[in-house]
Amino acid sequence: MSQFSLLAPNNHRIYTYSFLIGLFVFLTPSYAADKLKICHEASNYPPYIYQQDNQAQGLLVDIILGAAEALNIQIEFDAKPWNRCQKDVKTGRSHALFAMIKTPKRANEYAFPLDENNHLWTAKYPIFTSKKAPFSLNNYTPDKGLGAPLGYVVWQKLKERGWLTPYQYTPEQGLKMVANGKLDGYVVERLIGLHLLHESQLSDHLVHSEENLLDTIWYLPFNRSFYQKNQKLVDNFWSKLNTARKKLKKKYEKPE
């Protein structure tokens, strides 16, 4: 055998390699990711998201895990401050985040499903106020102002209307400030607010408005670059979210 024979072209070998490469491409799914890193706010917001034994729990977690199980995908949850979650997804440190309201600005920053049915949840944001002071959203004139979670769309809406308190409170702190007469009200998602009232023993002191500052949809958007490279995976995942949500929705449709 010539010393150069191993380097010389071999048509049979080339055809064999070409066939194997083609077969691998054909059999390999259009997406390769089998594990998704999903960021969520570190704060506990039952019944939607909370930590138990250092594990993410709650309704939204169950929906996400249900979708992942249907596609045989592993999920790694990452709990961080909300603004940090947004930054991590933009930079690719996390693949996705929840729960996010879609805005024109965010639609340019993240990949959202084109079909709005493929969302996580429909959310309502009333104003929690004292039972001693009747509240009307249409006739509201700020005294001590209204509070909302920092970085949320409802926080921005209050700021734009000139209704936002100059002080920042978490939902738990804010509801207590309302009960103590130091805030006119606090805006938080309805089921989260009701749960916090129960936990803080404030149900006899506060009530939420019939009018909502915001009725909206919560999404699980992805990093735009990751979506472009794994479009089939993400589209299928969003579709499975819709299926998983419908199975769990009836349990949470009415206040506890």
Side-chain angles (χ1 to χ4, degrees):
M1 178 182 291
S2 168
Q3 62 177 327
F4 298 108
S5 63
L6 292 177
L7 301 178
N10 184 306
N11 289 338
H12 178 72
R13 184 182 296 116
I14 292 173
Y15 293 149
T16 300
Y17 290 166
S18 298
F19 172 77
L20 292 175
I21 292 171
L23 182 63
F24 174 79
V25 172
F26 177 78
L27 293 177
T28 301
S30 58
Y31 52 84
D34 59 0
K35 185 175 184 178
L36 296 175
K37 184 177 181 181
I38 301 179
C39 195
H40 63 86
E41 188 167 9
S43 301
N44 289 329
Y45 289 135
Y48 296 113
I49 176 73
Y50 56 93
Q51 297 289 316
Q52 184 173 316
D53 298 326
N54 294 321
Q55 297 292 324
Q57 304 287 338
L59 171 60
L60 300 185
V61 172
D62 290 343
I63 293 173
I64 292 169
L65 292 179
E69 183 179 3
L71 297 175
N72 197 27
I73 298 172
Q74 295 182 2
I75 300 294
E76 177 187 347
F77 290 108
D78 189 20
K80 291 182 177 178
W82 184 236
N83 287 336
R84 179 63 184 274
C85 272
Q86 295 179 63
K87 181 179 180 180
D88 278 7
V89 175
K90 290 178 186 177
T91 58
R93 290 180 179 272
S94 294
H95 297 118
L97 76 165
F98 71 99
M100 176 170 273
I101 296 172
K102 185 178 181 181
T103 66
K105 181 176 183 293
R106 288 173 172 178
N108 290 325
E109 297 173 333
Y110 308 94
F112 286 84
L114 295 178
D115 185 351
E116 70 173 26
N117 289 320
N118 295 337
H119 63 270
L120 268 179
W121 199 255
T122 301
K124 301 180 184 295
Y125 289 83
I127 299 91
F128 285 82
T129 61
S130 172
K131 289 184 177 181
K132 297 178 181 179
F135 181 89
S136 172
L137 183 61
N138 294 329
N139 300 317
Y140 174 62
T141 300
D143 178 14
K144 299 178 178 64
L146 302 173
L150 179 65
Y152 280 41
V153 170
V154 286
W155 184 92
Q156 185 64 35
K157 284 185 174 293
L158 293 180
K159 182 178 179 181
E160 291 171 355
R161 296 188 184 192
W163 294 353
L164 187 66
T165 174
Y167 307 104
Q168 185 57 47
Y169 302 106
T170 66
E172 186 175 10
Q173 293 169 340
L175 294 175
K176 289 180 180 178
M177 296 301 283
V178 175
N180 292 331
K182 297 181 179 180
L183 271 182
D184 297 334
Y186 194 89
V187 183
V188 67
E189 200 282 330
R190 184 177 64 92
L191 290 183
I192 294 174
L194 290 173
H195 179 85
L196 288 174
L197 292 187
H198 176 74
E199 289 295 308
S200 303
Q201 298 181 341
L202 294 175
S203 299
D204 293 335
H205 303 282
L206 301 185
V207 65
H208 66 76
S209 61
E210 293 296 328
E211 310 137 304
N212 296 316
L213 181 68
L214 182 66
D215 289 279
T216 191
I217 293 173
W218 282 344
Y219 288 99
L220 191 151
F222 275 76
N223 170 277
R224 292 181 66 86
S225 178
F226 181 82
Y227 176 71
Q228 292 171 359
K229 296 176 182 178
N230 301 274
Q231 184 172 349
K232 184 176 180 180
L233 166 67
V234 178
D235 285 341
N236 285 340
F237 185 71
W238 280 332
S239 178
K240 296 302 181 182
L241 287 180
N242 184 24
T243 303
R245 184 191 70 253
K246 289 178 178 178
K247 291 181 179 180
L248 293 169
K249 189 175 181 181
K250 291 183 178 179
K251 179 180 178 181
Y252 294 91
E253 281 180 337
K254 298 180 180 180
E256 296 178 347

